[in-house]
Amino acid sequence: MNTKTLLIALGTLVVGFGIGYGVWGHAAMPARHMMPDGSMMDANGGTVDMSSMMHDMNAALEGKNGDAFDREFLAQMIVHHEGAVAMAELSAAQAKHQEIKDLSNGIIAAQQKEIAMMKAWQSAWYK
């Protein structure tokens, strides 16, 4: 993996985690949804920032190891990737610069492939 690809993947990871959890929430965490202005709102009507979302995601993994860690990691990463795909689909359709559209299409292809792989692992390991 070259440096550019790694940087794109890491950036997508951070943004996608936040968006994925902001849009879909997580069973162990308060439900959240994105407002039309892009801000995040929790189930109690309060706003949520990216730092808080990242903390919650990492907290879900704390104290786990072995299969419990792997199962939670896969669940969290699938949601994260789904969020990244949703964001990339928007940018592929709405971005002004072709470079962003190209990047977005690459993210969609890579993340969908990884989602399928992680779901296959879930099915194989945790029936």
Side-chain angles (χ1 to χ4, degrees):
M1 181 179 289
N2 66 35
T3 303
K4 181 179 177 183
T5 303
L6 180 59
L7 289 174
I8 291 169
L10 289 174
T12 302
L13 175 68
V14 171
V15 172
F17 259 125
I19 290 172
Y21 274 87
V23 174
W24 293 287
H26 186 274
M29 295 171 210
R32 298 183 179 125
H33 63 279
M34 187 176 295
M35 300 303 290
D37 67 359
S39 66
M40 303 307 296
M41 186 166 281
D42 67 18
N44 299 318
T47 58
V48 180
D49 63 17
M50 179 68 78
S51 176
S52 174
M53 288 186 288
M54 291 300 297
H55 176 269
D56 290 349
M57 289 179 274
N58 287 326
L61 294 171
E62 288 179 15
K64 291 181 173 64
N65 57 43
D67 271 343
F69 183 92
D70 291 356
R71 180 178 279 194
E72 185 66 22
F73 177 80
L74 288 173
Q76 301 236 5
M77 286 301 287
I78 289 168
V79 171
H80 147 70
H81 278 39
E82 289 170 341
V85 168
M87 183 177 181
E89 287 172 340
L90 286 173
S91 61
Q94 298 177 4
K96 173 183 176 181
H97 296 281
Q98 187 60 43
E99 294 87 349
I100 293 176
K101 291 180 180 201
D102 293 344
L103 172 65
S104 298
N105 287 321
I107 290 168
I108 293 165
Q111 301 282 313
Q112 287 178 333
K113 179 180 176 184
E114 291 174 5
I115 290 167
M117 177 179 63
M118 290 184 287
K119 285 183 175 182
W121 289 343
Q122 280 181 321
S123 294
W125 300 340
Y126 309 110
K127 295 179 181 180

